[in-house]
Amino acid sequence: MAFIKYALPLLAAAQAVFAADCGDGDTIRIRSQSDLDKYNTCETLEGDVELDKGLVDAVTINGVQRIKGALTSNGADNITQLSAPSLETIDKTFHLQGLTRLTALDFPEINSVGELDFEAIPILQSLGFTKGITNAGGVSIVNTGLTSLDGISLNSVGRFIITDNTALETVDVNNLKNATNLINFAGNYKDLEISLPNLASGTNLTIRNVSTVSVPSLEKLEGQLGFWGNTFSSLSAPNLTEAGDLVFEDNARLSNISLPALETVNGGFLITRNDELNSIVFPKLATVTGAIDFSGAFDKASLPALKNVRGGFNMQSTGNFSCETFNSWKDNTIHGTYKCEAETDNPTTSDGSSGSSTSSGGSGSDGSDDEDDAAVLTTANVPVMAAAAIFGMLFQYVL
Ligand SMILES: *[C@@H]1O[C@H](CO)[C@@H](O)[C@H](O)[C@H]1NC(C)=O
Ligand SMILES: *[C@@H]1O[C@H](CO)[C@@H](O)[C@H](O)[C@H]1NC(C)=O
Ligand SMILES: *[C@@H]1O[C@H](CO)[C@@H](O)[C@H](O)[C@H]1NC(C)=O
Ligand SMILES: *[C@@H]1O[C@H](CO)[C@@H](O)[C@H](O)[C@H]1NC(C)=O
Ligand SMILES: *[C@@H]1O[C@H](CO)[C@@H](O)[C@H](O)[C@H]1NC(C)=O
Ligand SMILES: *[C@@H]1O[C@H](CO)[C@@H](O)[C@H](O)[C@H]1NC(C)=O
Ligand SMILES: *[C@@H]1O[C@H](CO)[C@@H](O)[C@H](O)[C@H]1NC(C)=O
């Protein structure tokens, strides 16, 4: 009995010391460098760490190797440098937002984060993750000054969102093999080159405004594969056999789509307003579970293996291709609405949007019955809806 009498207060005291030193699971709020220095004997901080927005200049998290929670800073626009010389792991989100004067991150040992979520860090040029993050559930990097993603070397990732980084010239995520959520690139530097040499599978891959894309290993996507507003002339995915929706839209210089192994599109297949695309050939494409909707200025369209289109079929071009083969399919291979038109002045998509950025499009005066639909679903709606979905996701992600 006597032992317990003395031991309990001792234990309580020990816990109190522990709590004061390294957190007790509650959020640790840091208002100054000296607040931080109180923790520099802690290998592990128990709980979330929040860097107050009043922090200034260089901020250093000394000693700590692991944060068993999130590391967050919102609106700390006077922090110029953020270092954590020993930090290896952040269990939850590493979230930095609105650090408008941050020029340097120095996290030489960091290799694992729950999620990485950076937004509005406009003059940060490099990540400063010397060892490199090899483990992250998701990555979102929006509106930073980064010129590369050196420091991120993941084998697998959930969401991977890289948008509005106007200095980002190259992305080479060499190790990435598998993504289990959306990969999205949009609005980065106009000549962004993306190399995903080992990416074999993923869910959705959406790419806007880039100058080259290399996906030599890509075999299968569960969801959408889409390319909008890019400047590359050629897109090749030699090993891709299957994708969800497939979209090529508004790629002004695209003249060659090479998908020699593509067999199945589990959704719709849209090709429109790629004015330099003269020839459309998918030698192995057999099944499209949605609609085929190709419009533009092509002189050749060849789908020799096509067996089953569960949705409609719309093929319209200013060019002189042959509808002959397709006409013979309309009652068996194609299950939805059928339309094929060569040498038309105003090719349109099946929803009536203009199929070519040089023609006058769905609002032309040739009396075609596509015109009415044009007002309902305009060309602009499609990317806007996609963007809204993405920003919606980002929002959830931030909250
Ligand atoms: C940053 O410093 C400026 C100038 O001292 C000050 O006006 C501003 O409020 C500071 N920002 C924050 C978030 O405290
Ligand atoms: C991709 O990663 C997920 C989650 O780690 C896993 O379940 C899936 O089997 C992987 N797919 C491939 C093709 O490696
Ligand atoms: C493409 O697939 C073939 C056959 O499965 C394989 O041998 C080759 O390594 C793949 N290419 C790449 C770049 O992954
Ligand atoms: C992913 O792709 C599927 C199928 O194409 C689509 O329905 C879904 O909206 C896409 N999700 C995102 C976040 O892009
Ligand atoms: C980026 O792509 C979008 C299509 O998603 C396009 O509307 C926009 O004009 C492109 N921006 C630039 C700068 O090319
Ligand atoms: C299209 O690209 C593929 C793959 O890069 C290449 O083999 C083929 O020769 C190109 N076709 C044309 C017409 O340039
Ligand atoms: C369109 O192609 C067909 C078949 O190759 C050819 O007979 C016809 O003259 C072409 N029309 C034009 C306007 O070039």
Side-chain angles (χ1 to χ4, degrees):
M1 278 320 252
F3 168 75
I4 288 171
K5 245 182 201 162
Y6 290 106
L8 275 179
L10 268 179
L11 203 61
Q15 273 172 346
V17 168
F18 178 74
D21 272 352
C22 301
D24 56 5
D26 288 344
T27 300
I28 299 169
R29 295 209 160 73
I30 302 296
R31 294 187 174 77
S32 64
Q33 181 63 47
S34 56
D35 276 359
L36 258 181
D37 292 340
K38 289 182 207 148
Y39 296 97
N40 65 16
T41 54
C42 298
E43 284 186 5
T44 299
L45 291 181
E46 309 282 332
D48 297 340
V49 175
E50 221 175 84
L51 302 176
D52 190 81
K53 65 180 174 185
L55 283 162
V56 295
D57 304 332
V59 173
T60 305
I61 304 170
N62 278 309
V64 178
Q65 292 172 21
R66 174 174 176 194
I67 293 174
K68 270 192 170 174
L71 174 60
T72 303
S73 186
N74 262 309
D77 61 6
N78 291 319
I79 296 184
T80 55
Q81 289 180 39
L82 181 59
S83 315
S86 312
L87 189 61
E88 294 167 12
T89 303
I90 297 169
D91 288 23
K92 293 183 183 160
T93 303
F94 183 9
H95 174 70
L96 299 180
Q97 181 167 29
L99 276 68
T100 54
R101 289 193 186 78
L102 186 73
T103 56
L105 276 181
D106 186 19
F107 283 62
E109 299 296 327
I110 193 91
N111 59 76
S112 177
V113 300
E115 308 262 338
L116 184 74
D117 184 1
F118 287 2
E119 187 172 0
I121 316 179
I123 59 174
L124 181 69
Q125 294 185 356
S126 64
L127 286 169
F129 301 158
T130 315
K131 196 164 190 180
I133 290 185
T134 50
N135 189 6
V139 171
S140 171
I141 297 180
V142 176
N143 180 15
T144 71
L146 294 176
T147 57
S148 80
L149 297 184
D150 290 356
I152 293 183
S153 48
L154 303 164
N155 289 317
S156 178
V157 71
R159 193 165 298 148
F160 196 75
I161 294 179
I162 309 295
T163 62
D164 301 314
N165 302 287
T166 51
L168 190 63
E169 291 175 23
T170 57
V171 171
D172 183 345
V173 189
N174 188 47
N175 296 336
L176 191 63
K177 293 181 182 69
N178 181 9
T180 55
N181 204 315
L182 174 68
I183 301 183
N184 177 42
F185 292 91
N188 297 301
Y189 178 64
K190 68 177 171 50
D191 290 329
L192 175 62
E193 299 182 1
I194 296 177
S195 177
L196 299 165
N198 293 304
L199 183 69
S201 63
T203 52
N204 295 32
L205 176 58
T206 54
I207 295 189
R208 293 176 171 80
N209 313 116
V210 314
S211 72
T212 65
V213 177
S214 167
V215 284
S217 307
L218 192 61
E219 284 169 17
K220 187 176 170 186
L221 283 177
E222 310 282 345
Q224 185 178 54
L225 175 60
F227 301 91
W228 295 265
N230 298 291
T231 54
F232 45 72
S233 59
S234 180
L235 189 283
S236 165
N239 275 7
L240 184 70
T241 56
E242 191 174 335
D245 297 316
L246 195 47
V247 178
F248 293 87
E249 181 171 354
D250 278 317
N251 302 288
R253 296 183 205 159
L254 183 60
S255 61
N256 183 358
I257 302 175
S258 176
L259 302 174
L262 182 69
E263 289 168 12
T264 307
V265 175
N266 286 309
F269 192 172
L270 176 69
I271 297 181
T272 186
R273 286 197 305 281
N274 307 285
D275 293 341
E276 296 295 316
L277 189 64
N278 188 49
S279 164
I280 293 178
V281 181
F282 299 110
K284 293 209 176 139
L285 182 64
T287 305
V288 176
T289 66
I292 284 186
D293 192 353
F294 296 169
S295 50
F298 46 89
D299 289 316
K300 179 176 182 188
S302 169
L303 304 168
L306 197 63
K307 287 194 183 62
N308 189 1
V309 180
R310 286 194 211 137
F313 182 99
N314 175 62
M315 181 107 62
Q316 301 186 32
S317 175
T318 54
N320 183 15
F321 71 98
S322 169
C323 284
E324 221 171 292
T325 321
F326 307 133
N327 287 341
S328 71
W329 288 349
K330 69 180 151 192
D331 298 321
N332 39 53
T333 307
I334 293 149
H335 297 113
T337 314
Y338 175 85
K339 179 164 185 174
C340 184
E341 218 167 51
E343 294 185 278
T344 173
D345 288 342
N346 296 305
T348 64
T349 60
S350 60
D351 66 25
S353 303
S354 175
S356 135
S357 56
T358 53
S359 75
S360 52
S363 56
S365 55
D366 66 352
S368 103
D369 52 15
D370 294 323
E371 284 170 38
D372 297 338
D373 301 337
V376 181
L377 190 65
T378 67
T379 44
N381 285 353
V382 178
V384 167
M385 280 177 342
I390 289 154
F391 288 123
M393 288 182 66
L394 268 177
F395 235 85
Q396 284 178 351
Y397 192 67
V398 167
L399 299 172

